[in-house]
Amino acid sequence: MKAAVFHTPGSPLTIEDVGISKPGPREVLVRTVAVGVCHSDLHVVDGMYPHPAPVVLGHEAAGIVEQVGSDVRTVKPGDHVVTCLSVYCGHCAHCVTGHLSLCVSPETRRGKGDEPRLTYVQKPMPQFANLSAYAEQMLVHEHALVAIRRDMPLDRAALLGCAVTTGTGAVFNTAKVRPGETVAVLGCGGIGLAAINGAVLAGAGRIIAIDMVDSKLELARQFGATDVINAKQGETVQQVVELTRGGVDHSFECIGLKQTAEQAFGMLKRGGCATIIGMMKPGIKLEIDPFQLLQARRIQGSIMGSNRFPVDLPSLTDFYMQGRLKLDEMISQRIKLEDINVAFDEMRRGELARSVIVFDQ
Ligand code: ZN
Ligand code: ZN
């Protein structure tokens, strides 16, 4: 099959032939229809998060089931599916306590001695995020995907696989925003916009969007932000504290920088909670004033929106079909797999909300 192969940081991905195995008992072979270009992929391409290579990146995908293994119960050929990198086993301590996104059970992957899912020039190739979605096909565990309704457009469904689940899930599941609470979102790319939309759905009172790019702030307003702040103009923390007369209940850091993470904590009111979603460079140290902790301010991490994938995805799909979850506005361009490097370049410039690769059907 055709796939975009990452070889080494700093060099462009190349479109090459990659071998893919047949489904094992609990595996599903999916024909990829659409895949979003996400910052986490760019972090690997740029060498910030080292990953064994050569590898096929991509982890925000939707497609159609082609073939299922003998023991697969949840999907059948022809089903429309969204993939999720937080594959879960279903019976470890994390899974049975409802924290599917924390599952690390190795049983959802193939073992060392088994035939690999992917091969490159006849040699085993690692799978990225249990998916490797920049490819015509994906071979995944059945708990790495969920079937969705057929009337949901698959290019928009792809965004549910990472950005939208991460952003809305941080609001619903990690921070548990309640009606009327105040929310600030730092960074209005795909995840930030999803967090804003999630805050609207959760019934947040004031929703303050913060970014340095005016066009993104305009988009943030369309997604439901009640106030916008351009971080280039003045002291962000001070502005939020003044706007809310004392700080917000919840802040969501959606960039992955020390400065904005510290700002997210700094703009909380007493008892408020900062949720850090952005991927920070490993080893970065955050500085916070411990006195702020005495006033019950909290800072927490969130991975993949603490999702309960099989439950959350169908409901997000319904929200979109009802016009309550904005996905059309999030896609800034649709491209071919061959243009993937252009999408990364544009992402480095930080202007576009999100590119989606659409495969020829
Ligand atoms: Zn992602
Ligand atoms: Zn598990």
Side-chain angles (χ1 to χ4, degrees), residues 7-178:
H7 289 273
T8 180
S11 64
L13 308 194
T14 46
I15 308 300
E16 296 179 69
D17 192 49
V18 167
I20 188 160
S21 179
K22 293 265 175 273
R26 304 227 34 209
E27 291 176 343
V28 181
L29 183 68
V30 179
R31 181 160 54 85
T32 315
V33 173
V35 49
V37 181
C38 178
H39 255 106
S40 323
D41 300 310
L42 181 63
H43 287 334
V44 177
V45 174
D46 286 347
M48 190 171 118
Y49 280 78
H51 193 283
V55 68
V56 176
L57 303 173
H59 62 277
E60 185 178 82
I64 298 172
V65 174
E66 278 191 336
Q67 216 181 331
V68 299
S70 53
D71 295 341
V72 168
R73 296 286 174 269
T74 51
V75 292
K76 56 184 185 313
D79 277 353
H80 291 197
V81 292
V82 176
T83 59
C84 187
L85 65 100
S86 52
V87 58
Y88 63 94
C89 74
H91 51 252
C92 72
H94 290 304
C95 285
V96 297
T97 53
H99 306 101
L100 307 189
S101 60
L102 298 181
C103 178
V104 287
S105 170
E107 70 180 64
T108 57
R109 290 164 214 129
R110 287 196 181 177
K112 277 224 158 63
D114 300 337
E115 182 197 331
R117 284 180 181 156
L118 301 176
T119 50
Y120 177 71
V121 248
Q122 272 87 53
K123 289 203 189 78
M125 185 187 219
Q127 201 172 26
F128 177 69
N130 309 304
L131 298 172
S132 284
Y134 293 146
E136 290 175 316
Q137 290 174 311
M138 297 173 281
L139 181 60
V140 305
H141 190 274
E142 69 169 315
H143 285 169
L145 49 72
V146 59
I148 53 162
R149 49 196 276 188
R150 295 278 178 104
D151 53 354
M152 175 75 188
L154 287 171
D155 55 350
R156 277 141 278 182
L159 301 185
L160 302 177
C162 179
V164 176
T165 292
T166 300
T168 58
V171 172
F172 302 149
N173 304 323
T174 317
K176 299 186 173 70
V177 172
R178 295 178 52 82

